[in-house]
Amino acid sequence: LLKVTQMMEWASKRSVIRMNGDKFRRFVKAPPRNYSVLIMFTALQPQRQCGVCRQADEEFQVLANSWRYSSAFTNKVFFASVDFDEGSDVFQMLNMNSAPTFLHFPSKGKPRKSDTYELQVRGFAAEQLARWVADRTDVQIRIIRPPNYAGPLLLGFLLAAIGGLAYLRRHNLEFLFNKSVWAFSALCFVLIMTSGQMWNHIRGPPYAHKNPSTGQVSYIHGSSQAQFVAETHIVLLFNAAVTMGMVLLCEAATSDMDIGKRKIMCVAGIGLVMLFFSWLLSIFRAKYHGYPYR
């Protein structure tokens, strides 16, 4: 009862309770405990240079605030965070060498494998975290985000720019029937979609992953079931380069330019296709282990 009272007092002040090693051992590890605790293990100090940790922390705050200021608020579950610089002993206790990491400590028994959130697969969007919380605790949290006017303002500016351009060129709208403009627009859309941008929008993965122990930054996810935002940018660039190479080859074969320029275009096209397609294949090999490449 004293533990719950103390946790409720902290939760009334901050939706996410900050814990160090002593608080973790007393309020999470030590029995008895009749409440669940969802903890984000992170490294937010500037010297750690963990940009992903800050992004995940913002989403975790959204999740906790949505729980705190809604009918889902209960004393059966609490949200907390342990920073590496404030609780490195906790990281060592749990043999944890990466951040951010989300763990659920149930009210009874020890955490199972499913109590570790699959960050690399599901991303750290608050909506995805809420589904995981509901699965582990049966507490349904409806995510309530603060209003963001950037999207509507950008859309309004874009529509105003298009309308202004159409008005200024109202007597000459031939550009609307330009095949090259529409082909370039369609190509950009295809490249964006095939690189995985829609998956990023749905899952909300981190931009990259940095190991707080070694400092090594990974831009390519090692699994075929997940990806980083940086990875989609790399794939987009490589696909665009391969496409440019194919365009150069087609132009070299059909253009009316002199033979010297056509040879240069042909060599450049072959080089782009071979170089960037081989890099694409290397990424594929790194993500799909055991694929028969020979």
Side-chain angles (χ1 to χ4, degrees), residues 24 28-31 33 35-37 93-94 103-116 132 136:
F24 178 81
V28 179
K29 292 292 290 183
R33 175 169 53 84
Y35 52 85
S36 297
V37 186
M93 182 193 310
L94 300 175
L103 289 180
H104 168 242
F105 293 87
S107 57
K108 297 180 180 179
K110 296 182 179 180
R112 302 177 181 177
K113 183 179 180 180
S114 54
D115 287 311
T116 300
W132 174 64
R136 305 313 306 155

Side-chain angles (χ1 to χ4, degrees), residues 61-261:
Q61 294 287 345
V62 170
L63 172 68
N65 287 331
S66 300
W67 159 77
R68 173 67 181 83
Y69 300 105
S70 70
S71 58
F73 182 65
T74 174
N75 61 1
K76 297 299 182 183
V77 61
F78 294 97
F79 294 85
S81 67
V82 176
D83 192 280
F84 180 78
D85 290 280
E86 298 175 358
S88 58
D89 53 335
V90 179
F91 279 72
Q92 295 175 0
M93 182 193 310
L94 300 175
N95 295 320
M96 194 175 299
N97 57 10
S98 64
T101 299
F102 299 91
L103 289 180
H104 168 242
F105 293 87
S107 57
K108 297 180 180 179
K110 296 182 179 180
R112 302 177 181 177
K113 183 179 180 180
S114 54
D115 287 311
T116 300
Y117 180 71
E118 296 178 319
L119 178 65
Q120 310 299 345
V121 176
R122 305 176 68 173
F124 51 68
E127 290 77 8
Q128 292 291 339
L129 289 168
R131 295 189 183 98
W132 174 64
V133 171
D135 179 60
R136 305 313 306 155
T137 67
D138 293 329
V139 175
Q140 303 290 333
I141 302 176
R142 179 175 174 269
I143 298 300
I144 303 174
R145 294 182 177 273
N148 185 356
Y149 302 105
L153 286 175
L154 181 61
L155 179 60
F157 176 79
L158 180 62
L159 293 176
I162 295 175
L165 180 63
Y167 177 78
L168 293 175
R169 301 194 60 177
R170 59 187 182 278
H171 301 299
N172 183 14
L173 298 177
E174 292 182 0
F175 70 95
L176 292 176
F177 304 95
N178 189 306
K179 292 182 179 179
S180 298
V181 171
W182 285 106
F184 180 77
S185 301
L187 180 60
C188 290
F189 179 79
V190 170
L191 289 173
I192 290 173
M193 291 296 105
T194 54
S195 66
Q197 296 295 336
M198 186 57 68
W199 194 93
N200 292 343
H201 179 74
I202 295 172
R203 294 295 186 90
Y207 186 83
H209 176 72
K210 182 176 183 179
N211 190 317
S213 300
T214 63
Q216 183 178 1
V217 180
S218 300
Y219 298 102
I220 305 296
H221 196 283
S223 170
S224 62
Q225 302 298 318
Q227 66 185 21
F228 297 133
V229 174
E231 182 179 331
T232 63
H233 295 166
I234 294 172
V235 171
L236 172 62
L237 175 63
F238 287 2
N239 281 332
V242 172
T243 303
M244 177 60 69
M246 297 300 296
V247 170
L248 289 176
L249 287 174
C250 291
E251 287 295 316
T254 59
S255 175
D256 296 330
M257 292 187 295
D258 63 85
I259 189 67
K261 292 183 178 179

Side-chain angles (χ1 to χ4, degrees), residues 20 60 78 172 216 276 289:
N20 54 23
F60 195 61
F78 294 97
N172 183 14
Q216 183 178 1
F276 286 94
H289 306 284

